């Protein structure tokens, strides 16, 4: 909707607010007592227009007098955004490998970034939201970062970890503090000794094993795609 579109008689400049407004409730008036009906005046209509226009534009829409469900669209979008209950800086985990699961909607003012390298090109999820992407190292020791580049975000200019690419685990503790992988310190030794009864000499044999395992230390796990809300 667009309340600036009239049949005729519109002017280029907005009306001034009344200097001495009539405060109260509307009345039909009373001709018998010469009580005039309430006159809204042009500024009253202007207020309504501006409030509704600001609401529509808050979700990135352009008011259009030929579209009559824009307020409904905006309200539904704001309800959906509030229902996620993810604050700015919060992480959202999604199993988007499952058919029917959608990525977070970025069409409105609520914005997410996908914490994956290589998603900032034209038509990709992070287009217009990240810059200065950097990926270094080789699997499993990959470091991947990018800088938030969205002026409406309170996080604009901050560097974030692209953990879908680096595949680092999230662990409760002080936010942002990183730890490299390691085993808890432990030790042990197994040996056997045999002695010749006649000579008193003997041999000591150590028991060991060759390297076992893969290319990283990890618990059993299953992956999910992480997103971060930035606005």
């Amino acid at each position: 909707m667009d309340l600036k579109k009239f049949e005729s008689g519109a002017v280029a400049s907005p009306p001034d607010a009344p200097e001495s407004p009539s405060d109260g409730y509307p009345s039909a008036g009373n001709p018998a007592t010469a009580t005039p009906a309430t006159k809204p005046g042009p500024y009253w209509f202007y207020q309504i227009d501006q409030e509704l226009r600001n609401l529509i534009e808050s979700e990135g829409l352009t008011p259009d007098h030929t579209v009559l469900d824009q307020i409904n669209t905006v309200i539904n979008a704001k309800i959906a955004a509030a229902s996620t209950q993810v604050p700015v800086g919060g992480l959202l985990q999604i199993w988007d490998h499952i058919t029917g699961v959608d990525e977070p909607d970025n069409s409105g003012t609520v914005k997410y970034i996908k914490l994956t390298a290589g998603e900032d090109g034209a038509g990709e999820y992070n287009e217009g939201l990240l810059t200065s992407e950097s990926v270094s190292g080789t699997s499993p020791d990959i470091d991947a970062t990018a800088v938030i580049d969205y002026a409406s975000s309170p996080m604009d200019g901050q560097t974030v970890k692209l953990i879908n690419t680096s595949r680092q685990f999230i662990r409760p503790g002080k936010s942002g503090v990183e730890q490299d992988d390691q085993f808890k310190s432990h030790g042990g030794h197994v040996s056997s000794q045999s002695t010749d009864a006649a000579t008193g000499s003997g041999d000591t044999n150590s028991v060991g094993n060759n390297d076992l395992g893969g290319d990283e230390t990890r618990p059993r796990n299953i992956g999910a795609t992480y997103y971060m809300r930035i606005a």
Side-chain angles (χ1 to χ4, degrees):
M1 67 181 299
D2 187 353
L3 296 182
K4 289 178 69 176
K5 299 296 187 291
F6 299 92
E7 182 73 23
S8 63
V11 296
S13 301
D16 294 329
E19 293 183 1
S20 301
S22 176
D23 189 10
Y25 300 96
S27 166
N30 187 345
T33 60
T35 302
T38 302
K39 182 186 297 183
Y43 189 78
W44 187 89
F45 292 98
Y46 175 68
Q47 292 180 94
I48 302 299
D49 166 64
Q50 289 301 295
E51 289 286 349
L52 294 176
R53 176 175 293 272
N54 289 336
L55 179 62
I56 291 170
E57 292 178 345
S58 72
E59 283 296 321
L61 302 178
T62 300
D64 186 338
H65 72 288
T66 67
V67 180
L68 302 182
D69 64 350
Q70 289 187 302
I71 297 298
N72 182 66
T73 299
V74 168
I75 291 174
N76 286 337
K78 291 188 179 298
I79 291 173
S83 67
T84 63
Q85 298 182 347
V86 177
V88 171
L91 298 176
L92 191 62
Q93 305 171 55
I94 297 181
W95 274 358
D96 53 9
H97 67 286
I98 300 175
T99 300
V101 176
D102 295 324
E103 295 178 313
D105 182 12
N106 266 357
S107 61
T109 55
V110 174
K111 299 292 184 186
Y112 287 85
I113 55 173
K114 188 176 185 178
L115 298 178
T116 303
E119 290 277 348
D120 57 352
E124 296 181 306
Y125 191 84
N126 293 330
E127 178 185 2
L129 301 174
L130 293 177
T131 188
S132 302
E133 185 178 291
S134 173
V135 179
S136 60
T138 57
S139 180
D141 298 315
I142 294 176
D143 186 55
T145 63
V147 177
I148 296 172
D149 185 25
Y150 186 63
S152 297
S153 170
M155 300 175 68
D156 187 40
Q158 299 296 308
T159 299
V160 292
K161 291 281 188 176
L162 303 178
I163 58 175
N164 295 327
T165 299
S166 66
R167 304 206 69 193
Q168 291 171 283
F169 288 95
I170 301 296
R171 181 181 183 183
K174 188 173 181 180
S175 179
V177 175
E178 295 184 71
Q179 292 179 310
D180 289 329
D181 64 309
Q182 68 174 11
F183 282 111
K184 184 177 180 181
S185 177
H186 65 283
H189 185 75
V190 178
S191 65
S192 63
Q193 186 173 12
S194 60
T195 303
D196 187 297
T199 65
S201 62
D203 296 318
T204 300
N205 300 308
S206 296
V207 178
N209 61 270
N210 297 324
D211 292 339
L212 300 173
D215 60 358
E216 66 176 351
T217 303
R218 62 171 182 257
R220 188 177 185 217
N221 65 87
I222 184 170
T225 304
Y226 277 79
Y227 296 79
M228 174 185 284
R229 182 177 172 185
I230 64 168

